[in-house]
Amino acid sequence: MKTLISYFTGFVFLIGFLAVLSLTSCDDSMDEKNFYIDNLTMDNYPKVDGSTSTEPLQVLIACRLLDVEYSWVYLSFWFNYPYHLMPSCDIKPDIGRFITERIHHSGTHSSFINLIHKNADLIITARTASDDELFFADSLGIKLIEIPIALDAFVFLANINNPVNSLTTKEIQDIYTGNITHWNEVGGTNTEIRPYQRNSNSGSQELMESLVMKDLTMLDLPDMIMHGMMGLINQIEYDREGLGYSVNYYTQYMIRSDSVNILAVDGVYPDYKMLKNKEYGYTTEVYVIIREDLDKSSTAYKLHELLLTASGQSVINESGYIPYY
């Protein structure tokens, strides 16, 4: 069960944020100018970590705070995803190298462990802490503050050559419990469905279990478990009968595969409008998370506050995420 501090503190910050918005200009140029932290340098830059899918956002934040240009770059030889948001090293090579070397995420579960162990001071993740992560934090006397900053979506993926473009929640549940085994049962061909899964405690798997499966037990198929977000999508790219899941931002911005189709669920496709209005059933939230005991004068604490302002939300929008507020 979530600790009370997470919800109460989040509510307090939300009220404060709304008050700030009422006094803040919505002019984009002004928002960009206000995105700064006094006396921030490479030496005191926060120790950050997070979900794989939120790494580009962290890179963009660093580029904006340290004043370097950036661009999306295709790097096919990088295993975790092919498209990277990279700082320019032309004008300020030392800062560009610093961001490239410093901003690397260890994944959702590992980032929570790093935050709890104080190896990171701020993480941005595609979910809140799981029950076992909260139990581990409680065992060390650590309380976490989790505040939503952006909207994303949990999406289902099929090969582009699969004629099925939409599934219902019930059909997805039946596939992953073994009650539906062939694509012709959901409007496709008479071929066996290959339901790929993610490893336990990964961000995608926690979302699958908490949002979709709930109290249902998923099929025990060790050979179908992919250890890594890119691994699952690689399988879908080459497996016409495969079904899998991921988060929308990772799929749309970091993968951009022409061989993978994002499915509608319950008749709703997760496009920008449906996500912004939260009309897609599996619209999700992206969180900035810190420890309750984090020094309020630290750059990590100031960054956490900055992301809740109008200028912070403007940078989140610039990254491709949908601002939460």
Side-chain angles (χ1 to χ4, degrees):
M1 180 176 291
K2 294 292 182 186
T3 54
L4 180 60
I5 187 70
S6 297
Y7 289 119
F8 177 74
T9 308
F11 176 75
V12 171
F13 272 97
L14 175 58
I15 296 301
F17 170 73
L18 293 174
V20 169
L21 275 188
S22 68
L23 301 174
T24 303
S25 169
C26 293
D27 181 75
D28 288 342
S29 61
M30 183 63 71
D31 288 346
E32 292 180 4
K33 291 179 182 178
N34 287 337
F35 192 76
Y36 69 93
I37 296 175
D38 285 333
N39 303 315
L40 179 69
T41 66
M42 290 184 288
D43 292 333
N44 65 6
Y45 196 87
K47 293 186 293 183
V48 298
D49 203 342
S51 302
T52 301
S53 59
T54 66
E55 189 172 308
L57 174 57
Q58 287 272 30
V59 171
L60 176 56
I61 289 168
C63 288
R64 284 288 179 241
L65 290 175
L66 298 174
D67 192 26
V68 295
E69 295 298 318
Y70 73 89
S71 61
W72 283 95
V73 179
Y74 179 73
L75 298 174
S76 60
F77 55 86
W78 285 37
F79 173 74
N80 53 354
Y81 55 95
Y83 285 91
H84 286 245
L85 194 150
M86 302 286 288
S88 170
C89 293
D90 295 337
I91 299 177
K92 299 177 180 179
D94 54 336
I95 297 179
R97 284 194 298 269
F98 168 81
I99 294 173
T100 301
E101 294 169 0
R102 179 70 174 271
I103 310 298
H104 286 296
H105 286 184
S106 57
T108 306
H109 179 63
S110 295
S111 69
F112 272 106
I113 299 304
N114 285 337
L115 181 65
I116 294 166
H117 274 310
K118 301 188 177 182
N119 293 322
D121 290 323
L122 177 149
I123 64 175
I124 298 180
T125 63
R127 64 165 172 83
T128 56
S130 63
D131 288 343
D132 57 338
E133 289 158 354
L134 285 174
F135 179 81
F136 179 58
D138 287 342
S139 72
L140 298 178
I142 300 294
K143 302 296 182 184
L144 302 178
I145 298 174
E146 305 171 311
I147 303 176
I149 56 172
L151 293 175
D152 198 1
F154 185 63
V155 296
F156 289 86
L157 312 172
N159 185 277
I160 194 67
N161 294 313
N162 191 320
V164 174
N165 294 310
S166 179
L167 292 171
T168 67
T169 292
K170 181 64 164 58
E171 288 170 340
I172 294 168
Q173 292 172 337
D174 283 345
I175 289 170
Y176 278 95
T177 54
N179 293 323
I180 291 177
T181 59
H182 287 71
W183 282 109
N184 64 345
E185 298 176 72
V186 291
T189 59
N190 187 20
T191 51
E192 188 174 350
I193 300 173
R194 293 176 57 80
Y196 292 101
Q197 304 178 30
R198 284 296 315 283
N199 51 297
S200 177
N201 255 327
S202 67
S204 299
Q205 191 63 21
E206 289 287 338
L207 289 172
M208 177 64 170
E209 293 175 359
S210 62
L211 293 179
V212 184
M213 302 306 291
K214 301 186 183 299
D215 296 328
L216 300 174
T217 300
M218 294 182 68
L219 288 166
D220 184 13
L221 299 173
D223 292 341
M224 302 300 291
I225 295 176
M226 300 292 107
H227 292 266
M229 297 179 76
M230 186 64 187
L232 184 146
I233 292 180
N234 278 338
Q235 291 297 118
I236 298 296
E237 286 182 313
Y238 297 104
D239 188 351
R240 187 178 181 277
E241 317 311 332
L243 176 67
Y245 41 83
S246 188
V247 291
N248 189 59
Y249 185 87
Y250 180 81
T251 306
Q252 297 276 42
Y253 284 88
M254 301 163 70
I255 300 298
R256 310 186 192 186
S257 175
D258 294 332
S259 301
V260 173
N261 185 31
I262 295 177
L263 304 179
V265 178
D266 295 324
V268 180
Y269 185 80
D271 59 19
Y272 184 93
K273 180 182 177 181
M274 293 297 104
L275 298 185
K276 184 176 181 179
N277 295 332
K278 299 184 180 180
E279 294 181 32
Y280 175 70
Y282 298 123
T283 302
T284 58
E285 298 166 348
V286 176
Y287 295 83
V288 60
I289 304 173
I290 59 174
R291 295 183 305 276
E292 183 192 16
D293 64 359
L294 182 64
D295 184 353
K296 290 182 173 54
S297 66
S298 67
T299 55
Y301 191 88
K302 292 175 181 178
L303 174 55
H304 136 268
E305 288 188 310
L306 184 59
L307 293 175
L308 301 177
T309 66
S311 60
Q313 291 288 288
S314 177
V315 169
I316 287 169
N317 184 66
E318 184 181 348
S319 75
Y321 275 114
I322 301 172
Y324 184 77
Y325 302 103

